[in-house]
Amino acid sequence: MNISDIAKLAGVSKSAVSRYFNDGYISDEKRERIREAVEQTGYDPNNSGRKVRKKITSLVGVIIPKLSSESCAKVTEGIGEVLDNEGYQLLLVNTSYNSSKEVESLDFFRNNRVDGVILLSSAITKLHMTVLKKMRVPTIVVGQNVAGFSCVCHDDEGAAYALTKLMIERGAARPAIIGVDRMDTAAGQARYEGFSRALSESGITHRTEYVETARFTADSGYDKANRLLSQPIPPDAVFCATDNIAAGAMLCCLEHGLKIPDDIMITGVGDSQVGSITPVPITTAHLHYRTSGIEAAKMLLEELRKKDSVRRILKLEYDIVERGSTKINHIT
Amino acid sequence: MNISDIAKLAGVSKSAVSRYFNDGYISDEKRERIREAVEQTGYDPNNSGRKVRKKITSLVGVIIPKLSSESCAKVTEGIGEVLDNEGYQLLLVNTSYNSSKEVESLDFFRNNRVDGVILLSSAITKLHMTVLKKMRVPTIVVGQNVAGFSCVCHDDEGAAYALTKLMIERGAARPAIIGVDRMDTAAGQARYEGFSRALSESGITHRTEYVETARFTADSGYDKANRLLSQPIPPDAVFCATDNIAAGAMLCCLEHGLKIPDDIMITGVGDSQVGSITPVPITTAHLHYRTSGIEAAKMLLEELRKKDSVRRILKLEYDIVERGSTKINHIT
DNA sequence: CTGAAAGCGCTAACAA
DNA sequence: TTGTTAGCGCTTTCAG
């Protein structure tokens, strides 16, 4: 079933049918005849044909490190919401934190497989940059600031700073950090820096024994907290790079018989679901993941429309969500 | 940059270049010349052209109700893993539990937009069936058994039965359920039936006041648990349709000063991350979501290859994961 | 093994 | 407003 069949059936030319589906420069009578033929056959124009001709794909490539991470899923939902309404489809690649697969995918999208690309990357390597520079379709980066590209970022450093500062204000004298790999520019590096700045500003000395690096899981947070608590002088506050890690750390603290927040304060980042159902709700920073997806999609649409649109960097602010894990005088 | 340019550059015909990228019926000498030209220019054959000609898209449509749900994300990850290796890309549609959008997407994919479709649906309506029957591309359904289609299902009824039975064996006399909307055939209807069967078999009478219906969130579980606990004679066990709901319910029980599992037992379904970091770890059923994605993708590949492959139903078993929320004599 | 030529399904330019 | 014609980038005959 193709455009010619419909044309024959409706007794018009191919062009008329094409117009029916596009601009619609057509008489009511023919329009009606075509409508009937289409209805009868359930005909749906083949996209590939249109694509060769129009040199568009109506596809947007989305590269994400881990689909089953709450934050990535939220960003992707935001992207989908906007793009769907504009007639674009999402071509999704889940790289499972595999950096070389990220590069591969970029390379795959580079030419004309898709009209545009949105990249959520955990770490941008030199290899990434090489491929990124060769991109011939508009590309937006979410989660970090990459030279030469429009980006939507979260204020990871600021959020980490604010949370650490908050614990210090609440009386923390020995804050520790359970971070993640610094290769991850946002969740790893930036959040570490924020933590660090809060310490420096408050004149608290850094102790390497108060710095742990976990994976993105609660289990891992539990283990690292265990190490912190086995110190001769354990910390009295723990800033965790994610709420999941914080939840694990909390469990560990409670099992050690510590009272939260009195004996030890805990904070996370991201405002994940988990943070509100822990024995003591976790103070965290809401990072507007959904919004960043929405904004990235809008930026892409912008670039898709005007070929020469200017590069822009959008930094989304965080919201501190204070809960029981830091409030002094909290009733458990 | 197209195939003709490369042909010119390499001093061969378009056909030769096409062969270079396909079957490769070509002399070593020309192959080398083409390779160089491709390398120089970074040329990547345009897919749309190939698609019109070959009448394939190398795209698989995946329709999911909610990307940011842990179970959906896991299924999708499984699907992606298999399909990626076979050269297919995922065209993802997130319907946000919007049934009419599901139908729309099916309709959109129906003809030749994609080579195949994998549908994760929460509820199959008559409208779904109408569109499904018209599908002209292989379609696999995940999560429920739909007549006429190859399906990958979880044993929701069995898992619910086993968990409820387990609580009864551990001494529960008044089991309650916090389920979800029965429109959802798997998480709603089937899990309710499993709960129900366990009660009947054990000669326990159903009480309507022990049946609550929640949304998919911990908050909602909390609220519904509250209602259960405000009964004159509250239940001594709660089967929850998901771990998230269970986590919320647990929080509520603890706040009511109840001891888990001694005063009240709690179970969930799905083996979500949250279940292992609650104050008392939650007994649950592992549902192999990732695997179901993998298997669905394999089934699709099968149907993509042989036009006349037989319909099959794959039912994946569950694994009961017993944790503190049901173990009698559990040390908290 | 190779290239010319035809044609996939569609849209755009043109002349009517 | 309409139909004819050309051609998007590619693959596939077909004749050599």
Side-chain angles (χ1 to χ4, degrees), chain A residues 13 15 19 25-27 30 52-53 55:
Chain A
S13 70
S15 334
R19 286 188 190 106
Y25 225 53
I26 216 175
S27 66
K30 302 218 166 186
V52 222
R53 198 58 241 254
K55 307 199 179 189

Side-chain angles (χ1 to χ4, degrees), chain A residues 97-125:
Chain A
Y97 284 113
N98 180 335
S99 176
S100 69
K101 196 165 172 200
E102 262 172 31
V103 174
E104 259 173 50
S105 311
L106 279 172
D107 204 44
F108 181 76
F109 289 150
R110 186 165 53 82
N111 269 319
N112 40 22
R113 290 288 204 321
V114 294
D115 294 343
V117 171
I118 297 180
L119 170 68
L120 319 207
S121 176
S122 47
I124 301 283
T125 63

